[in-house]
Amino acid sequence: MSYDVVVVGGGPAGATAALDLAKAGRRVALIDRAGRIKPCGGAIPPRMIRDFDIPDSQIVARIRTARMISPTGRKVDIPIENGYVGMVDREQFDEFLRDRAAKGGAQRFTGTFLRIERDETGPEVIYRDKDSGEERRLRTRFVIGADGAKSVVGRAEIPGAHDIPFVIAYHEIVEAPAKTADYDPERCDVIYDGRISPDFYGWVFPHGKTASIGMGTGIDGVDLKKCTADLRAQAGLVDAPTIRREGAPIPLEPLKKWDNGRDVVLAGDAAGVVAPSSGEGIYYAMLGGRLAAKACESALKTGKAGDLAQARYWFMKDNKTTFRALRSMQDAYYKNDERRERFVSLCHDKDVQRLTFEAYMNKKLVNAQVMAHLKIGVKNVAHLMGIVKPTWT
């Protein structure tokens, strides 16, 4: 059987692309390796829940407060007004998305992608079947590479895919305790402390009956397990039984090119669409998968392979400004603990809190409140230049 599109990778990006194409009436194959669980805090904004029809059954916790913790242990609690941040567990969530794609009409295969071969009739995707160990071939017109930060598809097909910057994320899923002085099942803790992460941050994110405790870094030689153990001690979770441990690279910059101009387009982590500063990726992965599917649909209709480039164009048109702002914030404040201390202090500001969460919840920078933006800009410069000292209430 030949396919219109073969999707390599069954995470949020690949499963979304496969479902959208199947719903459009296309013949779609979805190839995914079994058993891989990406380390992820699991936070999803309300817009993602709305845009991608995420059912309540997948929301394992509802977060009402975000706590920022500075290197000196100062805490800033930011209430999430008029809503909540949903939490998912990737072990169940990714399988739900793959199963939904299959029920929607995509044909699902379990195995490891090997390569793409081409002849005069077009490309074939070769993968190793998990059960038999044999090589299998799927003929197709287009391929969506959604196989992660170190995408095998991307590195073989897309110039520059080898050069994408990333951090290594590591977390431990533990049995969550009841609410304690240090742990709240309705609060996400984000720890800006060089002892936990010298260039990124650590987190404690509730997942209902479990919790994700982890950190990320782009610096070689950092002992991720020791840093996470230190974070568990700080959060009072040393004795919480550990369920599983996971680590993986997380990209921090979109690739300059997502397609090969011929028959391949990337989506999700393979395309580098994880937000700087926050490391948020699930929403952007699903959006990237949707846009890759839309670009393939256009190319199938017009016969023009150049339409594949529309996926990146559409994504960057709506998100480039947000990504640049977040990159600037990371470059400014994640350099050392003095800067981190000032950043957490800045989070006390009500304008910062309001605009930050409005932007997060709705996935766009808020442009209407001009005076608030100006005030934040002035305060930001003052904190960076040391004109004001970190203050705490």
Side-chain angles (χ1 to χ4, degrees):
M1 181 178 179
S2 64
Y3 296 90
D4 295 310
V5 182
V6 170
V7 181
V8 179
T16 299
L19 176 62
D20 283 5
L21 286 162
K23 289 169 67 175
R26 298 298 181 177
R27 298 187 304 276
V28 186
L30 176 64
I31 303 172
D32 186 69
R33 292 186 297 166
R36 179 181 179 274
I37 308 169
K38 181 182 175 182
C40 178
I44 62 173
R47 180 171 176 181
M48 178 180 144
I49 295 171
R50 295 192 304 268
D51 288 0
F52 296 97
D53 298 322
I54 306 303
D56 285 346
S57 61
Q58 291 301 310
I59 308 299
V60 295
R62 288 168 170 77
I63 301 304
R64 312 288 180 179
T65 304
R67 170 170 286 182
M68 310 298 177
I69 304 175
S70 79
T72 62
R74 302 285 189 171
K75 302 177 178 66
V76 176
D77 285 354
I78 305 176
I80 301 171
E81 299 176 353
N82 303 318
Y84 63 89
V85 173
M87 305 300 293
V88 298
D89 189 315
R90 295 291 295 273
E91 182 178 23
Q92 289 80 37
F93 183 66
D94 287 18
E95 178 58 26
F96 159 77
L97 294 176
R98 290 189 288 267
D99 183 62
R100 184 167 71 170
K103 290 177 179 176
Q107 190 165 357
R108 185 175 170 183
F109 298 92
T110 303
T112 303
F113 169 82
L114 298 175
R115 62 191 180 276
I116 297 173
E117 294 181 358
R118 297 175 177 87
D119 58 24
E120 65 279 359
T121 63
E124 280 189 326
V125 173
I126 294 88
Y127 73 100
R128 188 174 304 282
D129 181 73
K130 177 182 180 294
D131 293 328
S132 68
E134 298 176 351
E135 288 192 9
R136 302 283 175 84
R137 294 173 174 263
L138 302 175
R139 181 161 295 280
T140 186
R141 295 177 66 183
F142 296 106
V143 178
I144 295 177
D147 52 333
K150 293 187 175 182
S151 167
V152 179
V153 176
R155 290 176 176 228
E157 298 287 336
I158 310 298
H162 288 82
D163 303 324
I164 187 169
F166 58 86
V167 299
I168 299 297
Y170 172 81
H171 79 160
E172 298 177 358
I173 297 292
V174 305
E175 291 183 14
K179 185 175 181 179
T180 67
D182 297 312
Y183 178 83
D184 186 334
E186 293 189 348
R187 187 189 72 222
C188 282
D189 291 357
V190 185
I191 299 89
Y192 298 98
D193 185 339
R195 293 165 296 184
I196 300 300
S197 171
D199 59 327
F200 207 54
Y201 65 82
W203 68 82
V204 178
F205 285 1
H207 286 182
K209 295 180 180 180
T210 64
S212 165
I213 309 168
M215 50 78 67
T217 181
I219 298 176
D220 292 338
V222 174
D223 189 335
L224 282 73
K225 292 184 178 181
K226 180 183 183 304
C227 290
T228 302
D230 292 343
L231 179 55
R232 289 182 65 162
Q234 179 179 316
L237 296 171
V238 171
D239 296 328
T242 302
I243 297 172
R244 65 179 194 265
R245 299 177 174 89
E246 295 144 2
I250 307 295
L252 290 178
E253 183 178 305
L255 287 175
K256 303 298 183 185
K257 191 174 178 61
W258 294 4
D259 70 287
N260 65 355
R262 186 178 182 182
D263 48 25
V264 174
V265 63
L266 303 180
D269 282 11
V273 293
V274 174
S277 178
S278 68
E280 181 196 357
I282 304 177
Y283 168 78
Y284 293 113
M286 296 185 77
L287 176 61
R290 173 155 290 172
L291 295 178
K294 183 179 176 182
C296 285
E297 178 68 17
S298 177
L300 287 165
K301 288 179 177 178
T302 66
K304 298 177 180 178
D307 287 356
L308 298 178
Q310 292 176 334
R312 187 182 190 280
Y313 171 78
W314 290 324
F315 185 94
M316 298 307 291
K317 180 181 177 182
D318 288 340
N319 297 286
K320 178 171 63 176
T321 302
T322 299
F323 272 50
R324 283 181 175 175
L326 291 172
R327 168 57 66 183
S328 296
M329 187 178 78
Q330 179 174 334
D331 291 343
Y333 283 111
Y334 288 17
K335 291 186 176 186
N336 54 54
D337 277 352
E338 181 183 358
R339 292 283 185 92
R340 295 184 188 99
E341 197 77 31
R342 293 184 180 279
F343 172 67
V344 176
S345 178
L346 183 63
C347 290
H348 266 294
D349 186 89
K350 297 301 181 184
D351 289 324
V352 172
Q353 293 181 13
R354 185 174 68 256
L355 293 184
T356 297
F357 274 94
E358 285 182 4
Y360 172 78
M361 304 283 264
N362 297 303
K363 283 291 158 279
K364 62 177 65 175
L365 291 179
V366 183
N367 297 317
Q369 303 180 48
V370 177
M371 288 307 298
H373 279 290
L374 289 174
K375 287 165 60 181
I376 290 171
V378 171
K379 294 169 185 174
N380 185 47
V381 172
H383 275 266
L384 284 173
M385 294 180 66
I387 297 171
V388 298
K389 295 181 179 180
T391 57
W392 307 99
T393 58

